[in-house]
Amino acid sequence: MAKSNCTQVTEFTLMGFTADPVIQVMLFQMFLLIYLVTMLGNLGIIMLIKTSPQLHSPMYYFLGNLAFVDLCFSTVVTPKMLADFMLEEKQVTYAGCIAQVFIFDILGIAECFLLATMAYDRYVAICHPLVYSVVMSPQLCFRLVFGSYLIGLVNSMSHTMGVLNLSFCGSKVIDFYFCDISLLISLSTSDTTLNSTILITSASLYGISSILLVLSSYTAIFSTVLGIHSAKGKCKAFSTCASHLTVVSIFYGTSFFMYLKPSSENSRAKEKWAVVLYAVVTPVLNPLIYSLRNKEVKGALRRII
């Protein structure tokens, strides 16, 4: 238990990536470029879907929400990280740290289930095309998206409420570039057994359940596609899934590496760059992957231009 006469921490210090000023300037330039492309790409996808009637379908409804989550995801982490590259003292207030954890957890789980929902959408489109418009009704699409955000909110509230009950009276140094729930738990001077259990359980429950939905959807999709006799038909079916599979592989791979792998001091540098992949790089890849590989998106963009 925390000592009764300890002084509660009012701010934390973020270690970031490196203390080398030259490398910090290089990283600032790189991440600034990534962030600008992320903003332009995801805003462009959202506006394109809104203004193009031919993109008013369930697939692009989910893609628009994914772009919105990616936009927020990157904004929660990157601006503070960019500011810290230019500051000698990399401080974040206790309230700001808790707010970052709260929003980051909502978006992380919401993206998990949005990707799973998109896999289910592809399953219905390829395996049951005749009833696609009936099954993927606007009402169901709204419920699936709303449910993704709701699960993220419930998950985030459980973690945040747990962290608010912890005491931070010792070290205030976070060896990372943003406030991560697992690192906050490790810094606490309270008994964190319950918090650690909730974190591992929720990461396993939500992560594994969403990836199982993705795997089961694609198992059925591959089984159906292999039964198509036309090579052109097979190619068309696989091309509609390639973009989604690429995004899923990057996001889930780095997420599991971060939250379901035992952490250690020796692996901290690897964890920092793994999280960069899904918190900074994945949001910029999503609009690029979907726009470059999707003929309908490219066609809609050409018509607007």
Side-chain angles (χ1 to χ4, degrees):
M1 297 294 291
K3 295 179 182 180
S4 57
N5 61 347
C6 74
T7 303
Q8 179 79 356
V9 169
T10 57
E11 63 180 20
F12 296 97
T13 300
L14 300 172
M15 291 294 290
F17 289 97
T18 176
D20 189 321
V22 176
I23 297 178
Q24 285 193 20
V25 172
M26 293 173 60
L27 290 175
F28 172 84
Q29 294 172 341
M30 180 180 71
F31 286 123
L32 177 61
L33 177 62
I34 291 174
Y35 183 61
L36 292 176
V37 175
T38 299
M39 296 291 288
L40 290 173
N42 285 291
L43 281 173
I45 286 288
I46 293 171
M47 295 304 297
L48 188 64
I49 292 172
K50 288 281 188 182
T51 57
S52 302
Q54 65 270 25
L55 299 183
H56 291 175
S57 65
M59 176 180 174
Y60 296 106
Y61 175 69
F62 297 134
L63 179 57
N65 278 276
L66 182 67
F68 171 74
V69 169
D70 283 336
L71 194 67
C72 298
F73 212 27
S74 185
T75 302
V76 169
V77 175
T78 310
K80 173 60 178 170
M81 181 172 63
L82 290 173
D84 286 344
F85 282 133
M86 298 291 102
L87 298 174
E88 186 174 346
E89 296 293 329
K90 302 172 177 58
Q91 308 291 342
V92 59
T93 64
Y94 175 81
C97 196
I98 296 299
Q100 193 174 52
V101 167
F102 179 72
I103 299 172
F104 188 84
D105 280 3
I106 292 177
L107 299 172
I109 295 299
E111 179 143 358
C112 276
F113 282 94
L114 279 175
L115 290 172
T117 298
M118 293 173 76
Y120 176 72
D121 173 71
R122 293 298 83 205
Y123 156 73
V124 178
I126 294 173
C127 300
H128 305 284
L130 298 179
V131 295
Y132 177 76
S133 59
V134 177
V135 174
M136 300 304 295
S137 63
Q139 294 80 9
L140 178 63
C141 292
F142 173 79
R143 292 190 190 111
L144 290 172
V145 170
F146 179 77
S148 299
Y149 290 123
L150 182 60
I151 293 172
L153 178 62
V154 171
N155 171 73
S156 182
M157 288 183 65
S158 66
H159 292 322
T160 306
M161 294 301 293
V163 171
L164 288 174
N165 290 324
L166 297 178
S167 297
F168 297 92
C169 308
S171 173
K172 64 175 185 177
V173 177
I174 300 177
D175 187 13
F176 221 57
Y177 53 91
F178 70 93
C179 292
D180 180 74
I181 180 68
S182 60
L183 296 179
L184 280 181
I185 291 174
S186 67
L187 284 180
S188 175
T189 52
S190 305
D191 181 4
T192 60
T193 304
L194 179 60
N195 299 80
S196 299
T197 302
I198 292 174
L199 178 62
I200 295 173
T201 302
S202 62
S204 302
L205 176 64
Y206 296 132
I208 292 176
S209 61
S210 59
I211 195 64
L212 282 177
L213 180 56
V214 172
L215 290 175
S216 59
S217 296
Y218 275 106
T219 299
I221 288 171
F222 290 147
S223 177
T224 300
V225 170
L226 290 175
I228 299 175
H229 299 294
S230 168
K232 184 178 179 180
K234 287 181 180 180
C235 183
K236 183 179 179 180
F238 278 126
S239 66
T240 62
C241 303
S243 302
H244 182 256
L245 276 174
T246 304
V247 173
V248 164
S249 301
I250 296 173
F251 183 83
Y252 281 104
T254 52
S255 299
F256 286 171
F257 178 84
M258 179 61 187
Y259 293 107
L260 297 182
K261 180 188 72 62
S263 181
S264 65
E265 292 298 323
N266 295 332
S267 65
R268 183 65 65 204
K270 294 180 181 178
E271 290 178 0
K272 288 180 181 180
W273 287 105
V275 176
V276 165
L277 278 178
Y278 87 86
V280 179
V281 177
T282 300
V284 74
L285 287 179
N286 286 353
L288 293 176
I289 291 171
Y290 280 104
S291 60
L292 293 176
R293 295 188 59 89
N294 193 296
K295 292 181 180 179
E296 290 180 325
V297 171
K298 288 190 289 186
L301 184 59
R302 280 195 296 268
R303 279 187 286 273
I304 288 180
I305 294 175

